[in-house]
Amino acid sequence: IIAIDAGHGGEDPGARGRYGSLEKNITLAIARKVKTLIDETPNMRGVLIRDGDYFIPLIGRVDKARKVNADLFISIHADAFIKPKARGSSVFALSEHGATSTAARWLAKKENEADLIGGVNLAVKDPFLARTLLDLSQTATINDSMKRAKHVLNELGDINDLHRGQVEQAGFAVLKSPDIPSILIETAFISNPSEERR
């Protein structure tokens, strides 16, 4: 099950192109096409996190992916920069730094709850053990995310220039799930007129 997150939506239009395109519309159109391709692949099913023009908070996007037992979370965006010459596709995974603060918040939220995160029961009595188990789960998830991100980046390189030649890592909120491998794709620069037209 692949959760496909069309970035932005509703009152959050995202970036604007020079020809008036809105990121929220582009990401939804791409997400729908990706879902069709996934659904045509045996043993795979795509689930749209946002299937219309409405706003979903960032944490709500991850929660929706978890509710459908997603095996992978893909967030789709259209990059923008102040200079119109910026171009190319990028793929991001969570950085270890972003993971550390997230693990702490997860532990605080899940304290005293018998909840499984990545197969790890956080209701263990020893808080240090719970933190260690969550860190191990998060590290494994980041490693899985990096593998998927590299594959997607290679595929994107066949259809568009790459903004950078490697997977980038950042602390995007939608990538911070400790139990679902997650990647964020900047499909192209909406601020670049030729990429906006594409």
Side-chain angles (χ1 to χ4, degrees), residues 2 7 12 19 34 38 49 51 75 81 88-89 95 102 112 123 131 147 162 179 197:
I2 313 298
D12 173 16
Y19 297 114
V34 169
I38 289 170
I49 297 297
D51 59 3
S75 188
F81 192 63
S89 302
S95 68
T102 302
N112 299 324
R131 175 66 183 257
K147 287 177 193 169
L162 296 179
D179 55 342
R197 281 193 295 269

Side-chain angles (χ1 to χ4, degrees), residues 16-182:
R16 292 178 190 271
R18 296 177 71 121
Y19 297 114
S21 300
L22 298 178
E23 183 178 9
K24 68 178 183 175
N25 298 331
I26 290 171
T27 60
L28 184 57
I30 292 171
R32 287 176 173 155
K33 288 181 180 183
V34 169
K35 178 183 175 6
T36 298
L37 292 171
I38 289 170
D39 289 345
E40 291 172 354
T41 305
N43 300 315
M44 292 180 72
R45 182 169 63 94
V47 175
L48 292 175
I49 297 297
R50 175 173 72 84
D51 59 3
D53 185 17
Y54 50 87
F55 177 77
I56 301 175
L58 297 176
I59 192 67
R61 295 167 189 258
V62 176
D63 287 345
K64 189 169 180 182
R66 188 167 285 110
K67 284 178 184 160
V68 298
N69 296 315
D71 299 294
L72 178 63
F73 180 92
I74 300 171
S75 188
I76 299 172
H77 291 264
D79 222 340
F81 192 63
I82 51 172
K83 295 182 179 176
K85 289 187 178 183
R87 64 180 301 120
S89 302
S90 303
V91 181
F92 290 83
L94 182 64
S95 68
E96 292 285 350
H97 175 71
T100 304
S101 58
T102 302
R105 279 195 300 277
W106 265 91
L107 279 177
K109 181 180 175 190
K110 295 298 178 186
E111 192 175 53
N112 299 324
E113 287 183 31
D115 201 1
L116 292 177
I117 300 297
V120 175
N121 186 343
L122 295 182
V124 296
K125 300 268 187 243
D126 184 342
F128 297 109
L129 176 58
R131 175 66 183 257
T132 301
L133 292 172
L134 187 56
D135 282 347
L136 289 170
S137 178
Q138 181 85 69
T139 299
T141 300
I142 290 173
N143 289 339
D144 285 346
S145 299
M146 287 295 291
K147 287 177 193 169
R148 304 303 170 266
K150 286 176 186 173
H151 180 76
V152 170
L153 188 69
N154 289 338
E155 294 292 320
L156 280 171
D158 290 342
I159 60 171
N160 194 28
D161 294 334
L162 296 179
H163 186 62
R164 292 200 168 73
Q166 74 265 357
V167 173
E168 299 179 68
Q169 290 185 271
F172 291 113
V174 292
L175 299 180
K176 292 184 178 183
S177 174
D179 55 342
I180 304 172
S182 304

